[in-house]
Amino acid sequence: MKPFHPSCHIVLLAFLLLVLLSAQPVPAWAVDNFPDPPGTVAARLQERYDAMRSLSFSFVQSTSGQLAGRPREGSGRAVFLKTGTSKRMRWDYDSPERQVLVSDGTTFSMYFENLQQMIVSPAKVIEEDMTYSFFTGSGRLADEFAILGPNKNIVDTEYRDLRVIQLVPKSAESQVQDIHLWIGPDSLIQRIEIRDQFDTRTVLTLSHIEENTLDGKDEQALSALFSFSPPEGTEIIHQDE
């Protein structure tokens, strides 16, 4: 069974994804209910996340597209921490099978229960990942993306109360075509959709978002959270890059 691999477009992105697009105009709520321009929305978003010391959320992830094969879904919980120059993260996938992606700031490990494998790489391999860099406070949206209104094909009555902005990478070498963010009135991201150059779409829907819940944790507890020891018999693969 081919494992659900989360790291290609979003986290691995990060990020990051899942929705079907419909060829209809942008609904009136996308403009009338949120008069602020996309750049202003993005600036408030950046300010909100820059002020966080830690962030955790539950997620549902879906990937679809011609090159992705049949649509795939996964779900779990993620947590990010930034303390000074230290940036750490952990993603625990509970379905469709257990996977753990964790970075302690020095190494980045991906454990796949179905394959009985863990791949260990230097943490720098994810430093350019959009999800990682933004949630850990090192990414600057305005520096890396043109910030626009949503693509005219984005329609979501389910998310009527959210503002949608589109991020288009400034780098011609980016493997991403665009990213859409669904943002609440509290300037928290509730959904991310990433579309790559092959038209594969990855969507993350976030819930149970919590800020600064790691305040007061000692270093021993933090080290235990942002590390993972695989079961005995797991094949460990070390990659330099």
Side-chain angles (χ1 to χ4, degrees), residues 152-179:
K152 65 180 181 179
N153 292 327
I154 292 290
V155 175
D156 263 311
T157 56
E158 180 182 356
Y159 295 90
R160 181 177 297 275
D161 295 330
L162 304 183
R163 179 67 191 268
V164 186
I165 62 173
Q166 178 184 184
L167 309 177
V168 177
K170 293 180 178 180
S171 172
E173 298 179 358
S174 175
Q175 297 182 4
V176 173
Q177 285 196 57
D178 56 41
I179 299 168

Side-chain angles (χ1 to χ4, degrees), residues 81 83 88 214 217-227:
L81 172 69
T83 53
R88 293 179 264 188
L214 298 182
K217 300 285 187 181
D218 60 28
E219 183 55 36
Q220 183 176 1
L222 294 175
S223 295
L225 175 60
F226 294 102
S227 63

Side-chain angles (χ1 to χ4, degrees), residues 9-17 91 131 192 194 202-204:
H9 304 296
I10 153 168
V11 184
L12 309 146
L13 208 274
F15 97 175
L16 298 180
L17 331 154
W91 296 74
T131 307
I192 304 169
I194 299 170
T202 303
V203 181
L204 284 178

Side-chain angles (χ1 to χ4, degrees), residues 3-232:
F4 177 76
H5 201 296
S7 59
C8 296
H9 304 296
I10 153 168
V11 184
L12 309 146
L13 208 274
F15 97 175
L16 298 180
L17 331 154
L18 47 215
V19 286
L20 296 175
L21 300 183
S22 134
Q24 301 177 27
V26 178
W29 59 264
V31 177
D32 296 343
N33 291 351
F34 301 94
D36 292 332
T40 300
V41 176
R44 286 201 298 261
L45 175 69
Q46 185 81 61
E47 182 178 6
R48 180 69 189 269
Y49 281 83
D50 283 351
M52 294 180 188
R53 296 174 296 279
S54 64
L55 172 69
S56 61
F57 51 80
S58 299
F59 65 88
V60 174
Q61 176 179 335
S62 175
T63 302
S64 61
Q66 279 192 323
L67 296 185
R70 63 180 179 83
R72 292 169 291 160
E73 293 190 358
S75 63
R77 185 87 181 158
V79 58
F80 294 80
L81 172 69
K82 55 178 181 177
T83 53
T85 58
S86 176
K87 297 176 176 61
R88 293 179 264 188
M89 75 167 189
R90 178 170 178 147
W91 296 74
D92 285 276
Y93 284 77
D94 301 321
S95 67
E97 62 266 340
R98 189 183 185 204
Q99 299 180 36
V100 180
L101 290 72
V102 60
S103 174
D104 61 5
T106 302
T107 60
F108 170 55
S109 301
M110 296 188 294
Y111 168 70
F112 303 96
E113 183 178 63
N114 191 55
L115 299 178
Q116 295 185 302
Q117 286 184 346
M118 187 167 79
I119 301 172
V120 181
S121 307
K124 65 181 181 180
V125 302
I126 57 168
E127 289 177 356
E128 295 183 359
D129 175 85
M130 179 268 190
T131 307
Y132 175 81
S133 63
F134 181 73
F135 287 144
T136 55
S138 58
R140 315 302 303 176
L141 295 181
D143 293 343
E144 300 174 20
F145 300 95
I147 301 170
L148 310 172
N151 185 295
K152 65 180 181 179
N153 292 327
I154 292 290
V155 175
D156 263 311
T157 56
E158 180 182 356
Y159 295 90
R160 181 177 297 275
D161 295 330
L162 304 183
R163 179 67 191 268
V164 186
I165 62 173
Q166 178 184 184
L167 309 177
V168 177
K170 293 180 178 180
S171 172
E173 298 179 358
S174 175
Q175 297 182 4
V176 173
Q177 285 196 57
D178 56 41
I179 299 168
H180 281 81
L181 302 178
W182 281 252
I183 304 164
D186 55 3
S187 293
L188 291 176
I189 297 171
Q190 296 192 24
R191 190 161 78 161
I192 304 169
E193 180 192 294
I194 299 170
R195 183 168 62 112
D196 70 12
Q197 296 292 358
F198 301 103
D199 228 24
T200 297
R201 289 178 173 84
T202 303
V203 181
L204 284 178
T205 301
L206 313 185
S207 63
H208 303 99
I209 301 169
E210 299 178 330
E211 303 173 59
N212 302 326
T213 55
L214 298 182
D215 287 1
K217 300 285 187 181
D218 60 28
E219 183 55 36
Q220 183 176 1
L222 294 175
S223 295
L225 175 60
F226 294 102
S227 63
F228 179 74
S229 297
E232 185 176 350

